[in-house]
Amino acid sequence: MFNYPLSSLLTVIFTWAAVALSSLFDTSRLGINYIEYAMHGVVLLLTLLVINESTYFGYKIRYYFLTLLASTIFSLMFVSPLAIALIYSVMFCSIFAFYAPVTLCYIYILFIHGLFLVCHALYWQTGWQWSHAGMFMAFHFFALVMTQRMISERSAKEALALTNAKLEATQQLLGSAAAQNERLRLARDLHDEMGHSLTSLIINLDIARRTCSDEQKTQIQACYEQAKQALGTTRIIVSDNRDDIGFDLVTCLIQLAKQTPRLVVNIDITQTIDHVPIDISQCILKCTQEAITNTLKHAPTASEINIALHRNNSDLLLTITDNGQVKGHINFGNGLTGMQERVTQVKGRLSIDKTIQGLKITIRVPYE
């Protein structure tokens, strides 16, 4: 239910303690303001709920927590004349950057400092605190820039990890295709060279056994039977090599899931699925890779993706769902268009639907 990186947890607690304890135990105060005490506790509680990395709380709930946290910080300006609300706001700004576009973060910075100036000038009657506002605005911008840089570095690492996973899957696919091509080449050579030579040998031995003397017939008959057996064995080898050995799709999907960054990828394959043809394997693998890429790129709130592959009569049914919230209509860009083209090429069907949790992609391809 709760999952915190140690560095983030310690940073939040130490920052809160430095602000709250110094404010609460200020000896210059005449009395105890229990409302302020409670608001400090609410700030800590909401901050811990927002930075929780567990998937127990969805991102929709996290936005409610963020709204409550911002409201508490705004209210704190009217409870204490100190600048403690702006210190909390710096911490909030670095968290808010993970959930909102950078433009909205800049709007928040301008709003919170405008509210601070108006509050002190009109409510606390302490004048326009331009120096404090300028100093804390610089802190806000610094926190925002550093957070944006960290987000960019994380995105770059995710893209690199996903690219490496794709390359490994593609390498495995190409290896299987190369092995299949080599088997086909060997099958053709055996059929064209050994098959024809053995057929010619059998014909000559058949003629020889019909025209030879009784003393030689037994030996020639044995050679004739051995040649027929050798031809039969050659035909079996040729047929086996011509058969599509397929591709270990299941193992490749599991490996892709393990190497996917940030997202928790759940694989559900309840039936034995093996010897999948190369073209079908390529379609399913590439579509799965594209779905994961789209989730990482276009659904930053997504934390989980589920991949289910089942055999349904003479079809393979691939279902991919995530928990990233989808707003508006689904636009077919290059990625989704490429998926549609791949599925159509193997005579399959693709459907994309919005769900309460996120996006659902269903692919059905033939599998005999």
Side-chain angles (χ1 to χ4, degrees), residues 253-300:
L253 288 176
I254 294 174
Q255 189 66 24
L256 180 64
K258 291 180 180 179
Q259 295 177 337
T260 299
R262 184 165 63 84
L263 294 173
V264 177
V265 182
N266 302 312
I267 298 289
D268 179 18
I269 303 175
T270 58
Q271 298 167 313
T272 302
I273 299 174
D274 54 6
H275 298 294
V276 182
I278 294 294
D279 56 343
I280 301 297
S281 297
Q282 184 179 21
C283 173
I284 292 177
L285 182 60
K286 294 298 183 181
C287 289
T288 303
Q289 291 175 347
E290 185 61 35
I292 293 175
T293 300
N294 287 341
T295 301
L296 288 171
K297 184 184 299 184
H298 302 297

Side-chain angles (χ1 to χ4, degrees), residues 101-368:
V102 64
T103 304
L104 192 59
C105 295
Y106 284 120
I107 293 175
Y108 165 78
I109 293 174
L110 295 176
F111 175 79
I112 189 70
H113 288 86
L115 181 63
F116 173 79
L117 289 172
V118 172
C119 178
H120 274 267
L122 302 181
Y123 183 79
W124 293 109
Q125 302 293 323
T126 57
W128 297 94
Q129 302 289 325
W130 296 106
S131 59
H132 283 83
M135 178 179 63
F136 279 103
M137 184 175 289
F139 291 156
H140 278 76
F141 284 137
F142 177 80
L144 179 60
V145 170
M146 295 305 296
T147 303
Q148 286 294 322
R149 182 173 180 179
M150 184 173 64
I151 293 173
S152 299
E153 291 180 354
R154 188 185 70 172
S155 299
K157 290 180 180 179
E158 290 177 356
L160 180 60
L162 186 59
T163 300
N164 289 335
K166 289 182 178 180
L167 287 175
E168 290 186 9
T170 302
Q171 184 179 12
Q172 188 174 352
L173 186 64
L174 290 175
S176 297
Q180 181 64 26
N181 290 333
E182 183 65 18
R183 289 167 67 92
L184 289 175
R185 187 187 67 80
L186 290 174
R188 293 192 194 99
D189 291 344
L190 283 172
H191 179 268
D192 295 340
E193 301 296 333
M194 293 294 297
H196 291 171
S197 298
L198 288 173
T199 301
S200 178
L201 177 61
I202 289 172
I203 293 173
N204 291 329
L205 287 174
D206 187 44
I207 295 173
R209 70 172 183 164
R210 295 176 185 274
T211 59
C212 67
S213 61
D214 294 337
E215 293 81 6
Q216 297 174 333
K217 181 173 291 188
T218 302
Q219 185 176 2
I220 294 177
Q221 179 66 28
C223 293
Y224 173 79
E225 295 296 334
Q226 290 180 356
K228 286 184 65 176
Q229 184 178 2
L231 179 60
T233 303
T234 302
R235 287 175 176 171
I236 292 174
I237 294 175
V238 169
S239 298
D240 290 342
N241 279 274
R242 283 189 179 276
D243 290 338
D244 194 345
I245 61 174
F247 175 69
D248 192 358
L249 180 61
V250 175
T251 301
C252 195
L253 288 176
I254 294 174
Q255 189 66 24
L256 180 64
K258 291 180 180 179
Q259 295 177 337
T260 299
R262 184 165 63 84
L263 294 173
V264 177
V265 182
N266 302 312
I267 298 289
D268 179 18
I269 303 175
T270 58
Q271 298 167 313
T272 302
I273 299 174
D274 54 6
H275 298 294
V276 182
I278 294 294
D279 56 343
I280 301 297
S281 297
Q282 184 179 21
C283 173
I284 292 177
L285 182 60
K286 294 298 183 181
C287 289
T288 303
Q289 291 175 347
E290 185 61 35
I292 293 175
T293 300
N294 287 341
T295 301
L296 288 171
K297 184 184 299 184
H298 302 297
T301 61
S303 60
E304 186 176 4
I305 186 168
N306 300 305
I307 300 173
L309 182 63
H310 303 287
R311 183 171 184 176
N312 187 4
N313 297 327
S314 60
D315 294 333
L316 277 182
L317 183 63
L318 175 68
T319 305
I320 304 173
T321 57
D322 62 41
N323 62 348
Q325 296 179 356
V326 181
K327 297 180 180 180
H329 298 286
I330 301 174
N331 297 321
F332 270 68
N334 293 328
L336 294 180
T337 302
M339 292 174 62
Q340 179 68 68
E341 292 172 350
R342 289 182 184 277
V343 173
T344 303
Q345 190 175 10
V346 296
K347 300 179 180 179
R349 299 188 301 275
L350 178 142
S351 63
I352 301 176
D353 304 292
K354 291 193 298 183
T355 64
I356 299 177
Q357 291 79 18
L359 194 67
K360 179 180 180 181
I361 298 175
T362 305
I363 297 174
R364 186 184 297 270
V365 294
Y367 174 61
E368 298 295 339

